[in-house]
Amino acid sequence: MKNLISGLILVLVLISTDLRSQNLFSNLKSPLKRADRLFEEFAYASAIDLYLQVLNRDKSNDQVKLKIAESYRMLNQTKEAEIWYEKVMTSSITQPIHKFYYAQMLVSNGKYEEGRKWFEEYKRQVSHSELANNMIEALLSINSFYEDSLTYPVKELKINTPHADFSPVYYEDGILFVSGRTKNVFVKALNTWDNSTFLDLYYSKMNAEGGLGNPVKLKGKINSPLHEGPATIYNNGNSIIFTRNAVTKFDIKNNKDSLKDVNRLMLFSATKNKKNKWEHITPMPFNNMAYSVGHPSITSDGRTLYFASDMPGGYGGVDLYVSYYVDSVWSEPKNLGPSINTAGNEVFPFIYKDTVLYFSSNGHGGLGGLDVFCSIINNNTAGKVKNIGYPINSSLDDFGIIIADDGRS
């Protein structure tokens, strides 16, 4: 799961197979050139295998070691990434940003003190870094994140699989969520980022004992051969806005140069018919082939939509935006501003009772990876951001939170 999530969360792009690239790849005889081509095309899992072959022949190749570290980081395999970054930290090829990444891996692996020292080393080599400042400040007050640790016991749900299972929303008498648990036998393509299968939307009904039953795919035209990601439900469960990896074969064929083999995420709406099947799949007006939009969360009246995007003009890699439904039209997305967004990534928003915005971020500083934060929304303005602490947050990625109306689960 963690491999796939790194692509979905931190970059907001999803990769599919590219026949043209495969043909070019087959003409490259050198393992190093093939590995570099795979790396350039985001096929990190396959690139690592070839880089390791190269390293067996030349164990002193620091450039290859660094590429392996970078690949493991992009796959979100933090323990492996830490090991390989450590091998090149004193090398002449290491740039300041690699020290920042090394610090991130250390923190994600629970090595807070060591991680802080490397953030400080990075900060000494760059003129200014909001991210490094945020990380150092959080690590200096790390104990404060554990103050309410006994208030919220956390347990794993029985519906989880070894694959991706994440981003639930309350729906009917259970939850709707995203999962990569099954492979469509009619689709041979894999997500080449990490060789995982594509995601679909599932529903699991709550049983009399309070547990969740066997998940089933949503009916209708909502699931496609590619990714369907996080969704939000409104209009008494009859309307949905969901994330989809939406590039078609026609788009790929006619936009090679601009797409650069990257399939953007887009938002779509749909409605449910009397047979409980989802239909009328409609793209949202702010979709754009030049950037991604995804991770929607809508207010109870269906008129205020929060989502994540890497569109130009933001504060970092991925920011949170809001759009308002006025006179039957969705407004131009508005960036939620510097109180929410950082030079890092802010993703997976959830609006609770229309007044509290929960979201995940790796830019505000916390226990490591993505942490869950909250902010009060007042007059369409976000207030001070608070890390909700352990045990909801951990040293690894924490995201996709939902909260029941009674606030107790």
Side-chain angles (χ1 to χ4, degrees):
M1 173 178 174
K2 61 184 179 182
N3 302 353
L4 171 65
I5 299 307
S6 67
L8 185 62
I9 299 172
L10 301 183
V11 185
L12 260 182
V13 296
L14 293 161
I15 316 305
S16 68
T17 55
D18 178 1
L19 295 179
R20 185 189 70 164
S21 298
Q22 289 174 350
N23 292 334
L24 288 173
F25 178 84
S26 63
N27 294 326
L28 299 175
K29 295 182 179 180
S30 165
L32 180 56
K33 289 182 179 179
R34 296 206 306 270
D36 286 340
R37 172 59 62 84
L38 289 167
F39 184 90
E40 291 168 2
E41 296 182 354
F42 317 120
Y44 300 111
S46 297
I48 288 172
D49 292 337
L50 284 173
Y51 281 134
L52 289 172
Q53 292 180 29
V54 174
L55 207 58
N56 282 335
R57 302 176 185 176
D58 180 10
K59 299 187 183 299
S60 63
N61 194 326
D62 285 347
Q63 190 66 54
V64 169
K65 294 175 185 177
L66 181 58
K67 285 290 184 66
I68 294 174
E70 295 280 81
S71 296
Y72 276 124
R73 177 176 63 86
M74 295 307 295
L75 290 172
N76 213 21
Q77 295 185 24
T78 59
K79 292 182 179 178
E80 293 83 357
E82 177 195 330
I83 291 170
W84 287 95
Y85 276 123
E86 183 180 11
K87 295 178 186 292
V88 296
M89 278 300 101
T90 59
S91 171
S92 60
I93 69 168
T94 304
Q95 301 297 315
I97 189 60
H98 300 130
K99 296 178 180 180
F100 182 89
Y101 293 149
Y102 180 45
Q104 284 184 318
M105 298 305 101
L106 288 165
V107 171
S108 289
N109 295 332
K111 300 177 181 180
Y112 296 130
E113 184 63 23
E114 193 174 351
R116 180 177 63 82
K117 291 178 181 178
W118 280 100
F119 278 129
E120 290 174 343
E121 176 64 23
Y122 167 78
K123 186 179 175 182
R124 280 192 287 268
Q125 294 186 260
V126 297
S127 57
H128 174 73
S129 174
E130 173 198 348
L131 284 178
N133 289 337
N134 289 348
M135 301 305 156
I136 293 168
E137 182 180 349
L139 291 170
L140 287 172
S141 58
I142 198 75
N143 291 335
S144 66
F145 301 134
Y146 291 88
E147 289 178 351
D148 298 320
S149 61
L150 298 180
T151 306
Y152 310 105
V154 175
K155 63 180 180 179
E156 184 176 354
L157 295 180
K158 294 182 179 180
I159 62 170
N160 288 328
T161 68
H163 305 286
D165 304 290
F166 64 101
S167 283
V169 293
Y170 291 112
Y171 173 58
E172 293 184 344
D173 298 321
I175 61 169
L176 179 156
F177 66 101
V178 186
S179 181
R181 63 187 51 222
T182 60
K183 181 178 179 181
N184 187 336
V185 295
F186 299 105
V187 180
K188 296 182 179 179
L190 296 176
N191 177 15
T192 58
W193 184 288
D194 61 352
N195 294 331
S196 63
T197 54
F198 289 99
L199 300 167
D200 282 323
L201 290 168
Y202 285 77
Y203 167 68
S204 181
K205 185 177 181 179
M206 189 170 292
N207 55 39
E209 292 75 32
L212 291 167
N214 185 43
V216 294
K217 282 188 179 182
L218 291 191
K219 298 178 180 179
K221 300 179 180 179
I222 197 165
N223 286 317
S224 75
L226 297 182
H227 285 292
E228 274 68 42
T232 187
I233 297 287
Y234 63 109
N235 188 25
N236 295 320
N238 294 307
S239 298
I240 189 173
I241 296 175
F242 65 98
T243 312
R244 172 179 279 180
N245 194 187
V247 176
T248 66
K249 290 183 179 179
F250 176 83
D251 294 324
I252 293 174
K253 180 179 179 180
N254 292 280
N255 294 278
K256 276 294 183 184
D257 293 336
S258 61
L259 286 172
K260 295 182 179 179
D261 309 326
V262 174
N263 290 4
R264 304 295 181 183
L265 296 182
M266 296 182 180
L267 287 174
F268 292 79
S269 64
T271 55
K272 187 170 61 177
N273 63 25
K274 294 181 180 179
K275 296 181 179 180
N276 283 331
K277 291 184 177 181
W278 293 97
E279 58 185 8
H280 305 305
I281 310 298
T282 305
M284 297 296 285
F286 35 75
N287 289 339
N288 195 302
M289 290 295 293
Y291 51 80
S292 291
V293 293
H295 306 182
S297 182
I298 201 165
T299 52
S300 58
D301 61 5
R303 292 184 173 275
T304 303
L305 178 69
Y306 298 91
F307 62 92
S309 177
D310 61 347
M311 69 177 65
Y315 293 87
V318 181
D319 282 4
L320 295 186
Y321 290 80
V322 63
S323 177
Y324 304 101
Y325 194 68
V326 181
D327 296 330
S328 301
V329 176
W330 285 103
S331 68
E332 188 74 15
K334 176 186 176 183
N335 190 294
L336 287 182
S339 63
I340 295 289
N341 294 313
T342 68
N345 296 293
E346 281 67 49
V347 284
F348 295 101
F350 167 68
I351 187 68
Y352 176 63
K353 290 191 173 181
D354 300 345
T355 58
V356 185
L357 181 66
Y358 289 84
F359 64 97
S360 291
S361 171
N362 64 3
H364 282 283
L367 291 168
L370 291 167
D371 271 13
V372 179
F373 295 81
C374 67
S375 174
I376 303 296
I377 302 296
N378 189 12
N379 293 325
N380 298 327
T381 301
K384 185 177 180 180
V385 167
K386 177 184 178 182
N387 186 308
I388 67 173
Y390 182 87
I392 298 296
N393 289 324
S394 68
S395 64
L396 298 176
D397 288 329
D398 309 289
F399 55 92
I401 192 171
I402 55 172
I403 300 174
D405 286 342
D406 62 7
R408 297 184 60 83
S409 61

PDB file of all heavy atoms in Angstrom, residues 286 297 299 303-308 311 319-325 330-337 341 357 377 380-381:
ATOM      1  N   PHE A 286     -13.192  22.696 -13.491  1.00  0.00           N
ATOM      2  CA  PHE A 286     -11.819  23.158 -13.295  1.00  0.00           C
ATOM      3  C   PHE A 286     -10.783  22.064 -13.550  1.00  0.00           C
ATOM      4  O   PHE A 286      -9.623  22.220 -13.214  1.00  0.00           O
ATOM      5  CB  PHE A 286     -11.622  23.758 -11.896  1.00  0.00           C
ATOM      6  CG  PHE A 286     -12.417  23.075 -10.810  1.00  0.00           C
ATOM      7  CD1 PHE A 286     -12.040  21.846 -10.316  1.00  0.00           C
ATOM      8  CD2 PHE A 286     -13.550  23.682 -10.294  1.00  0.00           C
ATOM      9  CE1 PHE A 286     -12.755  21.216  -9.331  1.00  0.00           C
ATOM     10  CE2 PHE A 286     -14.292  23.067  -9.295  1.00  0.00           C
ATOM     11  CZ  PHE A 286     -13.886  21.832  -8.815  1.00  0.00           C
ATOM     12  N   SER A 297     -13.870  17.019  -0.818  1.00  0.00           N
ATOM     13  CA  SER A 297     -14.720  16.940   0.371  1.00  0.00           C
ATOM     14  C   SER A 297     -15.711  18.095   0.300  1.00  0.00           C
ATOM     15  O   SER A 297     -15.311  19.247   0.114  1.00  0.00           O
ATOM     16  CB  SER A 297     -13.898  17.036   1.659  1.00  0.00           C
ATOM     17  OG  SER A 297     -14.739  16.909   2.796  1.00  0.00           O
ATOM     18  N   THR A 299     -19.347  20.238   1.631  1.00  0.00           N
ATOM     19  CA  THR A 299     -20.178  20.579   2.788  1.00  0.00           C
ATOM     20  C   THR A 299     -21.552  19.931   2.665  1.00  0.00           C
ATOM     21  O   THR A 299     -21.948  19.458   1.605  1.00  0.00           O
ATOM     22  CB  THR A 299     -20.331  22.099   2.923  1.00  0.00           C
ATOM     23  OG1 THR A 299     -20.778  22.636   1.667  1.00  0.00           O
ATOM     24  CG2 THR A 299     -19.006  22.745   3.307  1.00  0.00           C
ATOM     25  N   ARG A 303     -22.578  22.809  -1.541  1.00  0.00           N
ATOM     26  CA  ARG A 303     -22.253  24.062  -2.221  1.00  0.00           C
ATOM     27  C   ARG A 303     -20.834  24.571  -1.974  1.00  0.00           C
ATOM     28  O   ARG A 303     -20.431  25.583  -2.541  1.00  0.00           O
ATOM     29  CB  ARG A 303     -23.260  25.147  -1.817  1.00  0.00           C
ATOM     30  CG  ARG A 303     -24.662  24.864  -2.352  1.00  0.00           C
ATOM     31  CD  ARG A 303     -25.643  25.981  -2.030  1.00  0.00           C
ATOM     32  NE  ARG A 303     -26.922  25.748  -2.686  1.00  0.00           N
ATOM     33  CZ  ARG A 303     -27.211  26.099  -3.948  1.00  0.00           C
ATOM     34  NH1 ARG A 303     -26.279  26.721  -4.666  1.00  0.00           N
ATOM     35  NH2 ARG A 303     -28.382  25.858  -4.470  1.00  0.00           N
ATOM     36  N   THR A 304     -20.089  23.906  -1.138  1.00  0.00           N
ATOM     37  CA  THR A 304     -18.693  24.305  -0.902  1.00  0.00           C
ATOM     38  C   THR A 304     -17.827  23.059  -1.008  1.00  0.00           C
ATOM     39  O   THR A 304     -17.996  22.114  -0.241  1.00  0.00           O
ATOM     40  CB  THR A 304     -18.519  24.955   0.476  1.00  0.00           C
ATOM     41  OG1 THR A 304     -19.401  26.086   0.587  1.00  0.00           O
ATOM     42  CG2 THR A 304     -17.081  25.424   0.668  1.00  0.00           C
ATOM     43  N   LEU A 305     -16.910  23.085  -1.966  1.00  0.00           N
ATOM     44  CA  LEU A 305     -16.085  21.915  -2.256  1.00  0.00           C
ATOM     45  C   LEU A 305     -14.614  22.214  -1.989  1.00  0.00           C
ATOM     46  O   LEU A 305     -14.049  23.161  -2.524  1.00  0.00           O
ATOM     47  CB  LEU A 305     -16.250  21.512  -3.724  1.00  0.00           C
ATOM     48  CG  LEU A 305     -15.415  20.320  -4.193  1.00  0.00           C
ATOM     49  CD1 LEU A 305     -15.924  19.031  -3.542  1.00  0.00           C
ATOM     50  CD2 LEU A 305     -15.462  20.196  -5.720  1.00  0.00           C
ATOM     51  N   TYR A 306     -14.009  21.405  -1.144  1.00  0.00           N
ATOM     52  CA  TYR A 306     -12.575  21.490  -0.871  1.00  0.00           C
ATOM     53  C   TYR A 306     -11.874  20.369  -1.637  1.00  0.00           C
ATOM     54  O   TYR A 306     -12.398  19.255  -1.746  1.00  0.00           O
ATOM     55  CB  TYR A 306     -12.302  21.351   0.625  1.00  0.00           C
ATOM     56  CG  TYR A 306     -12.921  22.450   1.459  1.00  0.00           C
ATOM     57  CD1 TYR A 306     -14.203  22.317   1.995  1.00  0.00           C
ATOM     58  CD2 TYR A 306     -12.226  23.628   1.710  1.00  0.00           C
ATOM     59  CE1 TYR A 306     -14.780  23.327   2.747  1.00  0.00           C
ATOM     60  CE2 TYR A 306     -12.784  24.650   2.469  1.00  0.00           C
ATOM     61  CZ  TYR A 306     -14.064  24.496   2.977  1.00  0.00           C
ATOM     62  OH  TYR A 306     -14.632  25.502   3.720  1.00  0.00           O
ATOM     63  N   PHE A 307     -10.699  20.649  -2.143  1.00  0.00           N
ATOM     64  CA  PHE A 307      -9.944  19.613  -2.861  1.00  0.00           C
ATOM     65  C   PHE A 307      -8.468  19.993  -2.915  1.00  0.00           C
ATOM     66  O   PHE A 307      -8.070  21.109  -2.549  1.00  0.00           O
ATOM     67  CB  PHE A 307     -10.497  19.415  -4.279  1.00  0.00           C
ATOM     68  CG  PHE A 307     -10.416  20.629  -5.164  1.00  0.00           C
ATOM     69  CD1 PHE A 307      -9.321  20.831  -5.991  1.00  0.00           C
ATOM     70  CD2 PHE A 307     -11.446  21.566  -5.186  1.00  0.00           C
ATOM     71  CE1 PHE A 307      -9.235  21.945  -6.810  1.00  0.00           C
ATOM     72  CE2 PHE A 307     -11.373  22.682  -6.005  1.00  0.00           C
ATOM     73  CZ  PHE A 307     -10.261  22.875  -6.819  1.00  0.00           C
ATOM     74  N   ALA A 308      -7.651  19.047  -3.379  1.00  0.00           N
ATOM     75  CA  ALA A 308      -6.207  19.254  -3.488  1.00  0.00           C
ATOM     76  C   ALA A 308      -5.807  19.397  -4.946  1.00  0.00           C
ATOM     77  O   ALA A 308      -6.420  18.791  -5.827  1.00  0.00           O
ATOM     78  CB  ALA A 308      -5.455  18.076  -2.857  1.00  0.00           C
ATOM     79  N   MET A 311      -1.983  22.773  -9.152  1.00  0.00           N
ATOM     80  CA  MET A 311      -2.096  23.812 -10.173  1.00  0.00           C
ATOM     81  C   MET A 311      -1.095  24.938  -9.914  1.00  0.00           C
ATOM     82  O   MET A 311      -0.669  25.164  -8.770  1.00  0.00           O
ATOM     83  CB  MET A 311      -3.527  24.369 -10.216  1.00  0.00           C
ATOM     84  CG  MET A 311      -3.956  25.178  -9.019  1.00  0.00           C
ATOM     85  SD  MET A 311      -5.632  25.878  -9.195  1.00  0.00           S
ATOM     86  CE  MET A 311      -6.679  24.412  -9.232  1.00  0.00           C
ATOM     87  N   ASP A 319      -1.471  21.956  -2.959  1.00  0.00           N
ATOM     88  CA  ASP A 319      -2.171  22.852  -2.042  1.00  0.00           C
ATOM     89  C   ASP A 319      -3.642  22.462  -1.942  1.00  0.00           C
ATOM     90  O   ASP A 319      -4.166  21.716  -2.777  1.00  0.00           O
ATOM     91  CB  ASP A 319      -2.086  24.299  -2.521  1.00  0.00           C
ATOM     92  CG  ASP A 319      -0.749  24.951  -2.220  1.00  0.00           C
ATOM     93  OD1 ASP A 319       0.143  24.251  -1.703  1.00  0.00           O
ATOM     94  OD2 ASP A 319      -0.588  26.150  -2.508  1.00  0.00           O
ATOM     95  N   LEU A 320      -4.323  23.021  -0.942  1.00  0.00           N
ATOM     96  CA  LEU A 320      -5.771  22.853  -0.817  1.00  0.00           C
ATOM     97  C   LEU A 320      -6.485  24.073  -1.374  1.00  0.00           C
ATOM     98  O   LEU A 320      -6.046  25.220  -1.181  1.00  0.00           O
ATOM     99  CB  LEU A 320      -6.165  22.643   0.642  1.00  0.00           C
ATOM    100  CG  LEU A 320      -5.644  21.366   1.309  1.00  0.00           C
ATOM    101  CD1 LEU A 320      -6.237  21.225   2.704  1.00  0.00           C
ATOM    102  CD2 LEU A 320      -5.953  20.131   0.470  1.00  0.00           C
ATOM    103  N   TYR A 321      -7.606  23.801  -2.057  1.00  0.00           N
ATOM    104  CA  TYR A 321      -8.398  24.842  -2.710  1.00  0.00           C
ATOM    105  C   TYR A 321      -9.868  24.680  -2.320  1.00  0.00           C
ATOM    106  O   TYR A 321     -10.288  23.632  -1.832  1.00  0.00           O
ATOM    107  CB  TYR A 321      -8.266  24.747  -4.232  1.00  0.00           C
ATOM    108  CG  TYR A 321      -6.907  25.145  -4.754  1.00  0.00           C
ATOM    109  CD1 TYR A 321      -5.832  24.256  -4.701  1.00  0.00           C
ATOM    110  CD2 TYR A 321      -6.679  26.408  -5.291  1.00  0.00           C
ATOM    111  CE1 TYR A 321      -4.575  24.625  -5.158  1.00  0.00           C
ATOM    112  CE2 TYR A 321      -5.432  26.789  -5.771  1.00  0.00           C
ATOM    113  CZ  TYR A 321      -4.383  25.883  -5.691  1.00  0.00           C
ATOM    114  OH  TYR A 321      -3.142  26.263  -6.154  1.00  0.00           O
ATOM    115  N   VAL A 322     -10.646  25.729  -2.577  1.00  0.00           N
ATOM    116  CA  VAL A 322     -12.084  25.688  -2.332  1.00  0.00           C
ATOM    117  C   VAL A 322     -12.806  26.290  -3.533  1.00  0.00           C
ATOM    118  O   VAL A 322     -12.307  27.227  -4.170  1.00  0.00           O
ATOM    119  CB  VAL A 322     -12.462  26.442  -1.030  1.00  0.00           C
ATOM    120  CG1 VAL A 322     -12.117  27.929  -1.120  1.00  0.00           C
ATOM    121  CG2 VAL A 322     -13.935  26.249  -0.694  1.00  0.00           C
ATOM    122  N   SER A 323     -13.967  25.710  -3.854  1.00  0.00           N
ATOM    123  CA  SER A 323     -14.819  26.234  -4.922  1.00  0.00           C
ATOM    124  C   SER A 323     -16.250  26.278  -4.406  1.00  0.00           C
ATOM    125  O   SER A 323     -16.680  25.386  -3.659  1.00  0.00           O
ATOM    126  CB  SER A 323     -14.729  25.340  -6.172  1.00  0.00           C
ATOM    127  OG  SER A 323     -15.613  25.797  -7.184  1.00  0.00           O
ATOM    128  N   TYR A 324     -17.002  27.323  -4.800  1.00  0.00           N
ATOM    129  CA  TYR A 324     -18.374  27.521  -4.323  1.00  0.00           C
ATOM    130  C   TYR A 324     -19.368  27.340  -5.468  1.00  0.00           C
ATOM    131  O   TYR A 324     -19.124  27.791  -6.596  1.00  0.00           O
ATOM    132  CB  TYR A 324     -18.532  28.915  -3.710  1.00  0.00           C
ATOM    133  CG  TYR A 324     -17.546  29.197  -2.599  1.00  0.00           C
ATOM    134  CD1 TYR A 324     -16.414  29.975  -2.834  1.00  0.00           C
ATOM    135  CD2 TYR A 324     -17.730  28.678  -1.326  1.00  0.00           C
ATOM    136  CE1 TYR A 324     -15.500  30.231  -1.834  1.00  0.00           C
ATOM    137  CE2 TYR A 324     -16.819  28.933  -0.311  1.00  0.00           C
ATOM    138  CZ  TYR A 324     -15.703  29.707  -0.572  1.00  0.00           C
ATOM    139  OH  TYR A 324     -14.786  29.960   0.427  1.00  0.00           O
ATOM    140  N   TYR A 325     -20.491  26.692  -5.158  1.00  0.00           N
ATOM    141  CA  TYR A 325     -21.540  26.476  -6.163  1.00  0.00           C
ATOM    142  C   TYR A 325     -22.528  27.633  -6.078  1.00  0.00           C
ATOM    143  O   TYR A 325     -23.336  27.721  -5.155  1.00  0.00           O
ATOM    144  CB  TYR A 325     -22.242  25.148  -5.894  1.00  0.00           C
ATOM    145  CG  TYR A 325     -23.102  24.663  -7.029  1.00  0.00           C
ATOM    146  CD1 TYR A 325     -22.529  24.251  -8.237  1.00  0.00           C
ATOM    147  CD2 TYR A 325     -24.479  24.591  -6.901  1.00  0.00           C
ATOM    148  CE1 TYR A 325     -23.305  23.790  -9.279  1.00  0.00           C
ATOM    149  CE2 TYR A 325     -25.278  24.121  -7.929  1.00  0.00           C
ATOM    150  CZ  TYR A 325     -24.691  23.725  -9.123  1.00  0.00           C
ATOM    151  OH  TYR A 325     -25.469  23.260 -10.156  1.00  0.00           O
ATOM    152  N   TRP A 330     -19.913  26.169 -10.599  1.00  0.00           N
ATOM    153  CA  TRP A 330     -18.813  26.099  -9.644  1.00  0.00           C
ATOM    154  C   TRP A 330     -17.839  27.237  -9.906  1.00  0.00           C
ATOM    155  O   TRP A 330     -17.417  27.461 -11.037  1.00  0.00           O
ATOM    156  CB  TRP A 330     -18.087  24.760  -9.747  1.00  0.00           C
ATOM    157  CG  TRP A 330     -18.862  23.629  -9.144  1.00  0.00           C
ATOM    158  CD1 TRP A 330     -19.575  22.665  -9.797  1.00  0.00           C
ATOM    159  CD2 TRP A 330     -19.023  23.358  -7.742  1.00  0.00           C
ATOM    160  NE1 TRP A 330     -20.170  21.804  -8.896  1.00  0.00           N
ATOM    161  CE2 TRP A 330     -19.839  22.202  -7.626  1.00  0.00           C
ATOM    162  CE3 TRP A 330     -18.561  23.962  -6.580  1.00  0.00           C
ATOM    163  CZ2 TRP A 330     -20.207  21.660  -6.392  1.00  0.00           C
ATOM    164  CZ3 TRP A 330     -18.916  23.424  -5.350  1.00  0.00           C
ATOM    165  CH2 TRP A 330     -19.724  22.296  -5.260  1.00  0.00           C
ATOM    166  N   SER A 331     -17.495  27.954  -8.852  1.00  0.00           N
ATOM    167  CA  SER A 331     -16.630  29.126  -8.985  1.00  0.00           C
ATOM    168  C   SER A 331     -15.192  28.737  -9.285  1.00  0.00           C
ATOM    169  O   SER A 331     -14.786  27.586  -9.115  1.00  0.00           O
ATOM    170  CB  SER A 331     -16.671  29.958  -7.701  1.00  0.00           C
ATOM    171  OG  SER A 331     -16.048  29.248  -6.631  1.00  0.00           O
ATOM    172  N   GLU A 332     -14.421  29.706  -9.717  1.00  0.00           N
ATOM    173  CA  GLU A 332     -12.993  29.510  -9.916  1.00  0.00           C
ATOM    174  C   GLU A 332     -12.358  29.096  -8.580  1.00  0.00           C
ATOM    175  O   GLU A 332     -12.609  29.707  -7.542  1.00  0.00           O
ATOM    176  CB  GLU A 332     -12.355  30.816 -10.391  1.00  0.00           C
ATOM    177  CG  GLU A 332     -10.910  30.703 -10.816  1.00  0.00           C
ATOM    178  CD  GLU A 332     -10.742  30.030 -12.154  1.00  0.00           C
ATOM    179  OE1 GLU A 332     -11.737  29.901 -12.894  1.00  0.00           O
ATOM    180  OE2 GLU A 332      -9.603  29.624 -12.451  1.00  0.00           O
ATOM    181  N   PRO A 333     -11.555  28.036  -8.577  1.00  0.00           N
ATOM    182  CA  PRO A 333     -10.960  27.572  -7.315  1.00  0.00           C
ATOM    183  C   PRO A 333     -10.129  28.661  -6.634  1.00  0.00           C
ATOM    184  O   PRO A 333      -9.400  29.404  -7.287  1.00  0.00           O
ATOM    185  CB  PRO A 333     -10.075  26.408  -7.749  1.00  0.00           C
ATOM    186  CG  PRO A 333     -10.706  25.913  -9.007  1.00  0.00           C
ATOM    187  CD  PRO A 333     -11.230  27.145  -9.693  1.00  0.00           C
ATOM    188  N   LYS A 334     -10.249  28.722  -5.320  1.00  0.00           N
ATOM    189  CA  LYS A 334      -9.508  29.695  -4.517  1.00  0.00           C
ATOM    190  C   LYS A 334      -8.539  28.952  -3.595  1.00  0.00           C
ATOM    191  O   LYS A 334      -8.934  28.034  -2.878  1.00  0.00           O
ATOM    192  CB  LYS A 334     -10.471  30.533  -3.679  1.00  0.00           C
ATOM    193  CG  LYS A 334      -9.790  31.508  -2.736  1.00  0.00           C
ATOM    194  CD  LYS A 334     -10.811  32.197  -1.844  1.00  0.00           C
ATOM    195  CE  LYS A 334     -10.133  33.098  -0.820  1.00  0.00           C
ATOM    196  NZ  LYS A 334     -11.115  33.722   0.109  1.00  0.00           N
ATOM    197  N   ASN A 335      -7.281  29.346  -3.640  1.00  0.00           N
ATOM    198  CA  ASN A 335      -6.286  28.760  -2.748  1.00  0.00           C
ATOM    199  C   ASN A 335      -6.614  29.125  -1.305  1.00  0.00           C
ATOM    200  O   ASN A 335      -6.969  30.276  -1.011  1.00  0.00           O
ATOM    201  CB  ASN A 335      -4.893  29.273  -3.121  1.00  0.00           C
ATOM    202  CG  ASN A 335      -3.779  28.535  -2.408  1.00  0.00           C
ATOM    203  OD1 ASN A 335      -3.637  28.616  -1.193  1.00  0.00           O
ATOM    204  ND2 ASN A 335      -2.964  27.824  -3.166  1.00  0.00           N
ATOM    205  N   LEU A 336      -6.516  28.155  -0.383  1.00  0.00           N
ATOM    206  CA  LEU A 336      -6.872  28.415   1.010  1.00  0.00           C
ATOM    207  C   LEU A 336      -5.840  29.244   1.762  1.00  0.00           C
ATOM    208  O   LEU A 336      -6.051  29.588   2.924  1.00  0.00           O
ATOM    209  CB  LEU A 336      -7.097  27.091   1.745  1.00  0.00           C
ATOM    210  CG  LEU A 336      -8.388  26.352   1.381  1.00  0.00           C
ATOM    211  CD1 LEU A 336      -8.526  25.079   2.203  1.00  0.00           C
ATOM    212  CD2 LEU A 336      -9.609  27.232   1.573  1.00  0.00           C
ATOM    213  N   GLY A 337      -4.735  29.567   1.114  1.00  0.00           N
ATOM    214  CA  GLY A 337      -3.807  30.529   1.686  1.00  0.00           C
ATOM    215  C   GLY A 337      -2.727  29.936   2.562  1.00  0.00           C
ATOM    216  O   GLY A 337      -2.708  28.736   2.862  1.00  0.00           O
ATOM    217  N   ASN A 341      -1.724  26.148   3.582  1.00  0.00           N
ATOM    218  CA  ASN A 341      -0.773  25.601   2.620  1.00  0.00           C
ATOM    219  C   ASN A 341       0.669  26.018   2.914  1.00  0.00           C
ATOM    220  O   ASN A 341       0.927  27.125   3.372  1.00  0.00           O
ATOM    221  CB  ASN A 341      -1.170  26.043   1.208  1.00  0.00           C
ATOM    222  CG  ASN A 341      -2.493  25.439   0.778  1.00  0.00           C
ATOM    223  OD1 ASN A 341      -2.710  24.242   0.932  1.00  0.00           O
ATOM    224  ND2 ASN A 341      -3.385  26.263   0.254  1.00  0.00           N
ATOM    225  N   LEU A 357     -11.952  21.972   9.207  1.00  0.00           N
ATOM    226  CA  LEU A 357     -11.278  21.349   8.081  1.00  0.00           C
ATOM    227  C   LEU A 357     -10.132  20.480   8.583  1.00  0.00           C
ATOM    228  O   LEU A 357      -9.189  20.981   9.204  1.00  0.00           O
ATOM    229  CB  LEU A 357     -10.742  22.409   7.115  1.00  0.00           C
ATOM    230  CG  LEU A 357     -10.022  21.870   5.875  1.00  0.00           C
ATOM    231  CD1 LEU A 357     -11.005  21.129   4.971  1.00  0.00           C
ATOM    232  CD2 LEU A 357      -9.328  22.996   5.119  1.00  0.00           C
ATOM    233  N   ILE A 377     -12.873  26.792  10.158  1.00  0.00           N
ATOM    234  CA  ILE A 377     -13.255  27.656   9.039  1.00  0.00           C
ATOM    235  C   ILE A 377     -14.308  28.647   9.524  1.00  0.00           C
ATOM    236  O   ILE A 377     -15.375  28.258   9.986  1.00  0.00           O
ATOM    237  CB  ILE A 377     -13.812  26.838   7.865  1.00  0.00           C
ATOM    238  CG1 ILE A 377     -12.785  25.803   7.388  1.00  0.00           C
ATOM    239  CG2 ILE A 377     -14.204  27.755   6.710  1.00  0.00           C
ATOM    240  CD1 ILE A 377     -11.520  26.390   6.833  1.00  0.00           C
ATOM    241  N   ASN A 380     -15.484  31.647   5.664  1.00  0.00           N
ATOM    242  CA  ASN A 380     -14.691  31.185   4.515  1.00  0.00           C
ATOM    243  C   ASN A 380     -13.195  31.420   4.692  1.00  0.00           C
ATOM    244  O   ASN A 380     -12.434  31.391   3.719  1.00  0.00           O
ATOM    245  CB  ASN A 380     -15.164  31.859   3.222  1.00  0.00           C
ATOM    246  CG  ASN A 380     -16.605  31.526   2.891  1.00  0.00           C
ATOM    247  OD1 ASN A 380     -17.075  30.423   3.175  1.00  0.00           O
ATOM    248  ND2 ASN A 380     -17.312  32.473   2.295  1.00  0.00           N
ATOM    249  N   THR A 381     -12.754  31.628   5.928  1.00  0.00           N
ATOM    250  CA  THR A 381     -11.332  31.847   6.205  1.00  0.00           C
ATOM    251  C   THR A 381     -10.828  30.789   7.174  1.00  0.00           C
ATOM    252  O   THR A 381     -11.474  30.513   8.188  1.00  0.00           O
ATOM    253  CB  THR A 381     -11.103  33.246   6.802  1.00  0.00           C
ATOM    254  OG1 THR A 381     -11.578  34.230   5.878  1.00  0.00           O
ATOM    255  CG2 THR A 381      -9.623  33.487   7.072  1.00  0.00           C
TER     256      THR A 381
END
